Amino acid sequence: MEPTRIILSGACGRMGRVIADIVSQREDCQIVAGIDLVTVPYADFPIFKDPFSCTVEADVIIDFSNPMLIGNLLTYAKNQKLPLVIATTGFNPDQTSEIKTSSKQIPVFFSFNMSLGVNLLVELAKKAASVLGQQFDIEIIEKHHNQKLDAPSGTAMMIANAINETVGGNLEYVYDRHTERKKRGKRELGIHAVRGGTIVGEHEVIFAGRDEVITLSHSAGSREIFAVGAVNAAVYLAGREPGLYTMSDLVQ
């Protein structure tokens, strides 16, 4: 079987370089081109300043760049009928809507976190919420490095939304308590962001009840786990029918 040909958007960024290194050690895929505002090659594939300048044929795109670039990337992917793995986070509601709409024309793999462990954490949080949700207060704490732009993290919101859907969708997200001098409401779901140092990513879900606390947590030791997930998603997505795919599809 021929290796899956990948175009890497954000090729010169930190995650782009990690992905390039991982792919170079695999036989089932190869990077044939990169897209980045910085076009100085560092590997054996050309790098283009924008997707419309790319002249290399491929089977799939991996995007680990910036939310501002998603519009052009979606347009290019649809024009070329290329599957797209979106590993970038921090999209606004309009961008998220555009991603979902585009999935009607091309296969789109869209997950706020590419880690298998994090997605298991989500499933465990859903199970815990189904058992404890009505009697326990739920809080989410996420920690990341001091260079991360968005807060709360996309993963924290993915966990919150999964919990909220599990308990009926009536939870109220509370991001900042210091402006509210009142007791915690029964329908509140607290979401807290910590930024500091070089923390790769830590997520903790706390279920606090009467005289007992249950904590679920995941800690990322390096960014490689997200890169490996994105590459696996790209190999999986190539050749699929149009639609919106998630990590749940990959692990089934």
Side-chain angles (χ1 to χ4, degrees):
M1 181 179 295
E2 292 295 320
T4 301
R5 299 170 298 175
I6 300 171
I7 294 174
L8 178 58
S9 175
C12 294
R14 287 178 295 180
M15 288 303 299
R17 290 173 182 268
V18 172
I19 288 175
D21 180 59
I22 289 171
V23 171
S24 69
Q25 301 175 45
R26 294 178 57 151
E27 296 182 354
D28 60 346
C29 57
Q30 65 179 120
I31 297 176
V32 294
I35 299 171
D36 203 295
L37 292 176
V38 179
T39 57
V40 179
Y42 60 88
D44 59 349
F45 56 83
I47 299 177
F48 301 89
K49 184 164 292 187
D50 61 74
F52 304 111
S53 301
C54 181
T55 56
V56 180
E57 292 188 358
D59 302 307
V60 64
I61 304 170
I62 296 178
D63 176 43
F64 243 125
S65 58
N66 186 292
M68 294 178 60
L69 306 178
I70 192 62
N72 284 344
L73 200 57
L74 286 170
T75 298
Y76 173 78
K78 287 185 288 188
N79 288 344
Q80 300 297 319
K81 301 191 183 308
L82 280 175
L84 174 61
V85 176
I86 302 175
T88 305
T89 61
F91 296 108
N92 61 42
D94 288 340
Q95 290 170 323
T96 301
S97 177
E98 185 179 6
I99 290 169
K100 292 179 179 179
T101 300
S102 297
S103 71
K104 297 176 182 179
Q105 300 179 47
I106 57 171
V108 176
F109 193 102
F110 184 40
S111 176
F112 288 109
N113 194 297
M114 290 291 172
S115 161
L116 182 61
V118 162
N119 284 273
L120 175 59
L121 173 66
V122 172
E123 294 303 315
L124 293 173
K126 288 166 61 177
K127 178 61 176 178
S130 68
V131 176
L132 309 172
Q134 300 302 319
Q135 303 177 51
F136 282 60
D137 297 326
I138 307 172
E139 299 281 316
I140 298 171
I141 302 172
E142 57 96 346
K143 304 174 185 178
H144 285 86
H145 54 87
N146 57 23
Q147 300 300 301
K148 187 171 178 61
L149 300 179
D150 56 316
S153 68
T155 301
M157 296 307 301
M158 178 174 69
I159 297 170
N161 291 338
I163 290 173
N164 193 23
E165 182 179 346
T166 299
V167 300
N170 63 347
L171 295 180
E172 175 189 353
Y173 297 174
V174 177
Y175 305 98
D176 191 357
R177 296 196 188 279
H178 84 274
T179 60
E180 304 268 356
R181 297 193 60 82
K182 62 181 183 180
K183 293 182 179 180
R184 188 187 196 281
K186 284 292 185 182
R187 292 174 50 244
E188 289 188 11
L189 194 165
I191 306 173
H192 315 280
V194 176
R195 296 290 176 268
T198 58
I199 301 171
V200 175
E202 298 180 10
H203 292 86
E204 185 175 13
V205 187
I206 300 170
F207 294 85
R210 185 181 177 91
D211 299 329
E212 61 179 332
V213 175
I214 298 171
T215 302
L216 304 173
S217 65
H218 176 274
S219 178
S222 79
R223 292 183 177 86
E224 276 201 20
I225 62 171
F226 311 123
V228 170
V231 174
N232 287 340
V235 173
Y236 166 83
L237 198 65
R240 298 279 172 179
E241 294 296 319
L244 190 64
Y245 297 82
T246 68
M247 188 61 74
S248 297
D249 298 297
L250 181 60
V251 300
Q252 286 179 355

